[in-house]
Amino acid sequence: MEIDAAREVRTTCPYCGVGCGVLAKVAPDGQVSVRGDPDHPANFGRLCSKGSALAETIGLDGRLLHPEIHGRRTGWNEALDIVASTFSRTIAEHGPDAVAFYVSGQLLTEDYYLANKLMKGFIGSANIDTNSRLCMASSVAGHRRAFGSDTVPGTYEDLERADLIVLVGSNLAWCHPVLYQRIAAAREKRPEMKIVLVDPRRTMTSDIADMHLAIAPDGDVALFTGLLAWLGQHNALDRAYITEHTTGFGQALFAASALDLTSVATATGLSEDELARFYSLFAATAKTVTVYSQGVNQSSSGTDKVNAIINCHLATGRIGKPGTGPFSVTGQPNAMGGREVGGMANMLAAHMEIENPEHRDRVQRFWNAPDIAQKPGLKAVEMFQAVADGRIKALWIMATNPVDSMPDADAVEAAIKACPFVVVSDVLASTDTVHHAHVRLPAAAWGEKDGTVTNSERRISRQRSFLAAPGEARPDWWIIAEVARRMGLAEAFGHETPAEIFGEHAALSGFENDGARDFDIGAYASVDDETYAALEPFQWPAPSQGTPLWPAGHLLKGRDQLLSRLSSISKVATGEPASKLPIPLPEGEMSGRTEGGDQARHSQQANSTTEQQPARFFANGHFYTPDRKARFIAIRATTETRTAADFPLILNTGRIRDHWHTMTRTGKSPRLSQHIAEPFVEIHPVDAQHHGIGDADIVRISSPRGDVLVRALITSRQRQGSVFAPMHWTDQFAAKGRLDALTAPLIDPVSGQPALKHVAARIEKFAAKAFGFAVMRRRPEAIAADYWAVARCRGGWRVELAFADDDADWTAFAGSLFEAPSAEMLAYHDRDAGQHRIAAFDGEHLTGALFVARGPVAVSRGWAAEQLEEVHASQRERFRIVAGRAGAERPDAGATVCSCFNVGANQIVAAVMAGCTTVEAIGGALKAGTNCGSCRSEIRALIQAGRVQAAE
């Protein structure tokens, strides 16, 4: 793509569910830079460390650029023909339930919509599920049980207006940093705001908490059921609200009353004093928001946890009002969009119910579909079990990596290997899942794709392309539509642009709705390419306000006539005068802030003349149940012991700050790979001592299903009796780091979401006789070590190593690692001490350096990696590398704390000793913590440690 002048494109971040606006600037030479969009109402210019590093992740290295069949490059026609013919033949021979799609919360809404339409409306099966099943399925189930619909009631603004925020199973500081910073900023303005963290670990989010409840794993049901009982006992109920707007309260309170404070303390591992203080604070604070995430959802009792939380909000009438409500924050950029289009096996499109015959009839008529799915399909865990036992014979995986992210991952990999026909659409040529595909389809990546996503507060935003798709990569919606056409479905899948798909999706949401369903964006049914291109972020609902909507066929045929009749609606996204806009600024947006761009300003001017659509649901006490009343769910807290003598510890899995999912994107960024560069396990000091494990040892974590090798991190932040390890590392980045090979396919009976945070495990020290660390210009093809973990760094790669034996020829090993046979080698060997240091040079440039020791290697990682970009003309400079030490004139920066500005721990400590005693002072001196803010809690911990050291 030739560019005459720099241009800046408004798009949306592809990471978590916060949905931050991004401004991507493309320079005339093609270089891309990113910054936060100051006008986007989700982030107002903030980006986290991952979003800030997006420009480092768009390179073409490792991309899948051409279709392949059995590893052979081919053209699109042959690849699409074989996919369509094989799926058609399989359906004809074995029925529609013999095929399945496994899709992703990273698809755009338009991709998701067509995939769901093809499977449920035209193949006639509901065997389409998504990796969002692993993320927020229990929230969906809890919402539907309580509200009659999958409705997130509140908005991000509620986090800033609340007087009490209860964070449950959410490390917001690392997993949703922009929301964390919005809360922190609100707290600075209103110091009286209280924050309670409910989490087994003392995560970085605890830095902002007034109270940390280090709850026992899966103790949340007991905690909130006990809270409901407490509210009843202490006359802290909104009885008028309960009577007028809810049903089932008596049964729910009776079930909760089985728990007294002592039994709640036993079930949660908390003291009665802690419980009483928390319960009293909740009861006394009218404006309370309960934010929850994977610690609630990823549980075999996840749906009950969600409803236990919702019960407490219904009992106090704290829902639908500013600064109140239960709030599920999602982990993927378009998990919400997938829910809207029905991209889960137990849902229909547009929040309709697959079990409801009227809903099935409505969707079938709208799509003019021959045979709509009559029953729910197989959810994710069940789906791969069906692949394993042969019920599913053709599988299409889109934009996800189940070999690494599904529970019982080794069994999932074996199932995919054995499946007769596997198609994978992906952006990368090499992932642990792509390896097993019979057909590989090159998909467009972020920056090349065009469509919409929905964030955790129901805000729909545009992802816009600013790069040309490389090679033969194509958007996912195009690939799906082309396969459908080849299956004889050209009329139903004749879409030419994502705008057409979005318009059809919007029309279906409003079709025969009239307020009966929560999801309604019918006002956008007539969007054309021009208005779609200019579409501003907006929250749903956005109904058409009486404008007639037609079945989808009319959106593709006679489209000009349709646009003419609905021309007033198409003004929504253009920023024309507000008097023509059917959707004004929703009630509840940020006070004093515009919604974003001219549309917001015009909408604000129009508020006095146009009826407002509320940004919050349920303000009027009306829900989407048949009687329009919310339902209390009677829940009895139960405890389950999963540990045993052989597996005495509880393994909790999760995410870290600078990586995401299976690192297919973040693993490309040198900046993001420096904060934590290898898989690890957090162990409480008492547990570490009991198992004979020291800091930085290599540890084997085992479960009944497998084992992994990771680095030990001993910390009192971890709850005794439990260990924590992140799920990001795959066979692409580590020798044996696929953590979900340890997790069981145990699911919540209502939602089907797997329990990934309560796994029986054991730990033992791996008896390494030698440890190593290396930096090199080229990524090694093979690494002959028992433990290795590879990560990007500026100028090349870095590798952590450990060996069961120490009798290797280390010079030869270095040569194979560096893959530079003609390089000039410089080596130091002390065999008695087990010390070996080897550096290889190509002219004045370092090709690679290897450091070996009998214990964890003490060389500065950051300094060693920097040498790959330095010129080493003198022998003295080369010997300095072999010595593994920078000169006095170049002090070691230490482990990376601030990824945005590459600031290390030693630099921060030095600044503290020089008198910088606040996070703000550190920011002024070093810039650390002044961009995304994700590292501020770590900076604060270093400041505190420095104060303690000074006092001593």
Side-chain angles (χ1 to χ4, degrees):
M1 178 184 290
E2 293 185 3
I3 304 169
D4 295 328
R7 57 193 176 87
E8 198 163 57
V9 175
R10 294 180 67 193
T11 185
T12 308
C13 181
Y15 288 118
C16 75
V18 176
C20 295
V22 174
L23 295 176
K25 187 174 184 178
V26 184
D29 63 358
Q31 292 294 309
V32 174
S33 59
V34 300
R35 63 187 179 98
D37 183 350
D39 292 325
H40 196 287
N43 59 315
F44 298 104
R46 295 184 181 97
L47 287 179
C48 73
S49 58
K50 293 184 289 291
S52 298
L54 274 167
E56 296 182 13
T57 69
I58 57 177
L60 298 186
D61 53 307
R63 284 292 297 271
L64 179 63
L65 297 175
H66 307 281
E68 296 178 4
I69 299 175
H70 297 293
R72 168 182 60 85
R73 177 176 169 177
T74 187
W76 271 110
N77 282 332
E78 184 183 10
L80 294 167
D81 284 346
I82 194 172
V83 173
S85 63
T86 303
F87 269 79
S88 295
R89 184 175 64 253
T90 303
I91 294 164
E93 294 177 359
H94 303 284
D97 288 336
V99 302
F101 295 167
Y102 186 64
V103 298
S104 167
Q106 295 163 71
L107 291 176
L108 302 185
T109 297
E110 293 74 8
D111 309 324
Y112 244 136
Y113 179 84
L114 287 195
N116 185 58
K117 178 181 178 180
L118 174 57
M119 179 56 74
K120 290 187 179 137
F122 291 83
I123 290 176
S125 170
N127 281 349
I128 174 172
D129 212 47
T130 167
N131 62 8
S132 298
R133 179 72 59 187
L134 316 181
C135 171
M136 37 43 39
S138 291
S139 287
V140 174
H143 290 160
R144 293 175 73 178
R145 290 207 298 187
F147 307 145
S149 59
D150 175 24
T151 310
V152 176
T155 72
Y156 293 162
E157 182 206 10
D158 292 321
L159 303 177
E160 296 162 317
R161 296 183 66 173
D163 294 325
L164 170 63
I165 296 177
V166 184
L167 300 170
V168 190
S170 172
N171 186 6
L172 213 64
W174 276 21
C175 298
H176 300 90
V178 169
L179 289 187
Y180 176 84
Q181 292 304 323
R182 285 183 67 162
I183 293 171
R187 173 75 171 273
E188 289 181 6
K189 294 178 181 177
R190 292 194 300 116
E192 66 275 14
M193 176 193 286
K194 300 297 182 184
I195 298 171
V196 176
L197 175 65
V198 182
D199 197 306
R201 301 165 60 219
R202 195 169 79 250
T203 65
M204 290 300 171
T205 303
S206 67
D207 177 66
I208 202 175
D210 299 282
M211 184 187 305
H212 172 217
L213 302 179
I215 195 168
D218 281 340
D220 312 85
V221 171
L223 178 68
F224 284 94
T225 303
L227 173 58
L228 181 63
W230 174 279
L231 295 170
Q233 294 162 3
H234 291 77
N235 196 29
L237 302 170
D238 188 336
R239 294 193 178 275
Y241 186 91
I242 292 169
T243 300
E244 186 173 356
H245 299 301
T246 73
T247 61
F249 173 71
Q251 297 93 320
L253 185 62
F254 179 78
S257 297
L259 286 175
D260 60 15
L261 205 61
T262 300
S263 56
V264 174
T266 300
T268 61
L270 302 171
S271 70
E272 292 187 27
D273 179 64
E274 287 176 307
L275 291 169
R277 286 191 292 120
F278 169 54
Y279 288 175
S280 297
L281 181 61
F282 189 101
T285 313
K287 295 176 70 173
T288 298
V289 175
T290 304
V291 178
Y292 62 92
S293 191
Q294 310 303 12
V296 167
N297 293 330
Q298 291 180 337
S299 167
S300 58
S301 57
T303 305
D304 280 353
K305 291 183 183 184
V306 171
N307 285 116
I309 292 169
I310 292 174
N311 281 350
C312 295
H313 280 269
L314 292 175
T316 52
R318 298 173 187 171
I319 191 168
K321 304 170 186 175
T324 70
F327 203 133
S328 164
V329 290
T330 55
Q332 293 199 84
N334 204 29
M336 289 283 282
R339 289 148 72 172
E340 293 159 9
V341 305
M344 302 177 80
N346 57 320
M347 300 172 71
L348 271 183
H351 281 200
M352 284 182 268
E353 301 168 2
I354 200 167
E355 302 90 347
N356 187 319
E358 292 183 5
H359 290 186
R360 293 198 303 269
D361 173 71
R362 180 180 297 120
V363 176
Q364 185 171 6
R365 284 186 289 110
F366 182 90
W367 280 341
N368 194 23
D371 184 21
I372 199 157
Q374 298 294 304
K375 65 182 189 301
L378 297 172
K379 299 168 185 174
V381 170
E382 302 165 331
M383 179 181 290
F384 285 100
Q385 290 170 342
V387 174
D389 65 27
R391 283 175 289 158
I392 290 176
K393 304 177 186 303
L395 174 67
W396 189 351
I397 299 168
M398 306 179 198
T400 187
N401 195 6
V403 166
D404 297 316
S405 58
M406 283 291 295
D408 201 10
D410 285 347
V412 170
E413 182 173 31
I416 293 173
K417 280 184 180 179
C419 187
F421 187 64
V422 177
V423 182
V424 176
S425 305
D426 209 314
V427 301
L428 293 183
S430 181
T431 73
D432 294 347
T433 298
V434 168
H435 285 168
H436 304 302
H438 302 102
V439 178
R440 304 174 184 178
L441 303 177
W446 182 83
E448 304 153 11
K449 301 182 71 169
D450 205 30
T452 58
V453 293
T454 306
N455 74 358
S456 294
E457 63 165 352
R458 294 175 279 105
R459 189 177 301 280
I460 295 174
S461 300
R462 289 277 280 110
Q463 264 195 27
R464 294 180 173 90
S465 61
F466 54 87
L467 298 171
E472 295 181 88
R474 296 291 185 270
D476 290 281
W477 69 263
W478 181 91
I479 300 171
I480 297 162
E482 286 294 324
V483 168
R485 292 169 185 169
R486 285 165 167 79
M487 295 176 72
L489 305 171
E491 184 174 350
F493 292 86
H495 312 80
E496 297 294 337
T497 67
E500 290 182 3
I501 304 169
F502 183 79
E504 179 178 326
H505 166 55
L508 175 55
S509 75
F511 183 55
E512 297 178 353
N513 192 332
D514 297 324
R517 305 189 302 274
D518 64 335
F519 179 65
D520 188 347
I521 56 170
Y524 295 85
S526 69
V527 66
D528 58 13
D529 289 346
E530 181 180 356
T531 53
Y532 182 77
L535 192 67
E536 293 280 352
F538 70 94
Q539 279 182 296
W540 60 262
S544 61
Q545 298 186 338
T547 303
L549 300 171
W550 289 270
H554 295 279
L555 296 175
L556 302 177
K557 297 178 179 179
R559 184 170 178 82
D560 292 342
Q561 180 182 5
L562 175 65
L563 293 177
S564 174
R565 296 178 69 178
L566 300 181
S567 59
S568 63
I569 298 177
S570 68
K571 309 297 185 185
V572 171
T574 63
E576 293 194 13
S579 60
K580 299 181 182 179
L581 293 178
I583 308 301
L585 181 70
E587 177 257 322
E589 287 300 331
M590 289 295 296
S591 175
R593 291 172 171 169
T594 61
E595 168 91 323
D598 291 337
Q599 178 190 348
R601 290 182 282 276
H602 291 317
S603 296
Q604 289 176 318
Q605 295 165 8
N607 281 348
S608 61
T609 59
T610 310
E611 183 182 356
Q612 288 190 351
Q613 297 293 333
R616 294 178 190 85
F617 274 89
F618 313 138
N620 60 0
H622 291 172
F623 296 84
Y624 291 92
T625 55
D627 61 3
R628 289 295 195 178
K629 292 187 175 184
R631 294 182 290 234
F632 280 92
I633 305 299
I635 299 168
R636 293 191 181 274
T638 60
T639 56
E640 182 178 355
T641 301
R642 294 182 190 158
T643 54
D646 288 345
F647 300 98
L649 299 174
I650 293 171
L651 169 64
N652 174 14
T653 71
R655 300 177 179 180
I656 60 173
R657 191 189 78 189
D658 288 358
H659 278 310
W660 197 72
H661 282 203
T662 59
M663 294 165 52
T664 51
R665 181 181 289 114
T666 55
K668 288 188 165 193
S669 167
R671 188 195 319 182
L672 297 178
S673 298
Q674 301 316 299
H675 181 235
I676 298 175
E678 61 184 320
F680 67 93
V681 58
E682 286 186 358
I683 311 170
H684 189 276
V686 172
D687 292 324
Q689 184 178 25
H690 177 74
H691 290 88
I693 294 169
D695 218 5
D697 279 345
I698 304 301
V699 175
R700 187 186 304 278
I701 314 175
S702 304
S703 82
R705 282 173 167 73
D707 63 283
V708 297
L709 292 175
V710 298
R711 185 78 69 175
L713 175 59
I714 299 171
T715 173
S716 58
R717 286 181 171 270
Q718 177 58 51
R719 195 176 195 274
Q720 189 175 342
S722 296
V723 295
F724 169 84
M727 51 79 69
H728 306 291
W729 275 265
T730 71
D731 286 347
Q732 307 300 306
F733 293 96
K736 200 172 179 61
R738 291 172 53 244
L739 195 70
D740 276 314
L742 277 59
T743 58
L746 178 65
I747 61 173
D748 179 284
V750 181
S751 69
Q753 181 157 357
L756 300 177
K757 291 184 169 291
H758 191 165
V759 181
R762 67 169 175 256
I763 57 174
E764 57 188 315
K765 180 178 178 178
F766 174 73
K769 292 185 178 179
F771 293 79
F773 171 72
V775 295
M776 64 217 69
R777 289 193 153 199
R778 296 175 56 187
R779 175 173 177 154
E781 291 295 324
I783 303 174
D786 298 281
Y787 170 86
W788 58 263
V790 62
R792 291 252 188 191
C793 63
R794 298 196 184 282
W797 298 84
R798 51 180 284 186
V799 184
E800 300 287 346
L801 302 155
F803 307 84
D805 296 310
D806 61 354
D807 57 354
D809 180 339
W810 295 112
T811 302
F813 175 81
S816 67
L817 197 65
F818 304 155
E819 297 180 353
S822 61
E824 177 188 350
M825 305 288 273
L826 189 64
Y828 165 82
H829 300 284
D830 183 343
R831 289 176 174 81
D832 291 338
Q835 296 274 351
H836 306 271
R837 297 171 184 173
I838 301 123
F841 297 89
D842 180 7
E844 296 182 341
H845 296 281
L846 180 67
T847 298
L850 171 67
F851 307 89
V852 178
R854 287 185 179 153
V857 175
V859 70
S860 167
R861 270 61 174 164
W863 170 82
E866 288 173 0
Q867 304 314 301
L868 293 171
E869 296 186 301
E870 300 287 336
V871 174
H872 306 283
S874 71
Q875 198 71 358
R876 179 183 178 185
E877 291 169 335
R878 297 185 178 197
F879 276 119
R880 185 175 288 174
I881 293 174
V882 175
R885 294 190 302 272
E889 73 280 3
R890 295 190 59 180
D892 176 16
T896 299
V897 173
C898 175
S899 297
C900 296
F901 295 107
N902 196 30
V903 179
N906 292 349
Q907 293 171 288
I908 294 170
V909 170
V912 172
M913 302 307 290
C916 295
T917 57
T918 66
V919 174
E920 291 71 25
I922 294 292
L926 302 173
K927 291 190 176 181
T930 61
N931 183 39
C932 75
S934 303
C935 62
R936 290 171 67 89
S937 51
E938 292 169 87
I939 295 171
R940 192 169 283 110
L942 288 170
I943 292 171
Q944 182 61 33
R947 286 173 177 163
V948 171
Q949 182 179 348
E952 293 173 348

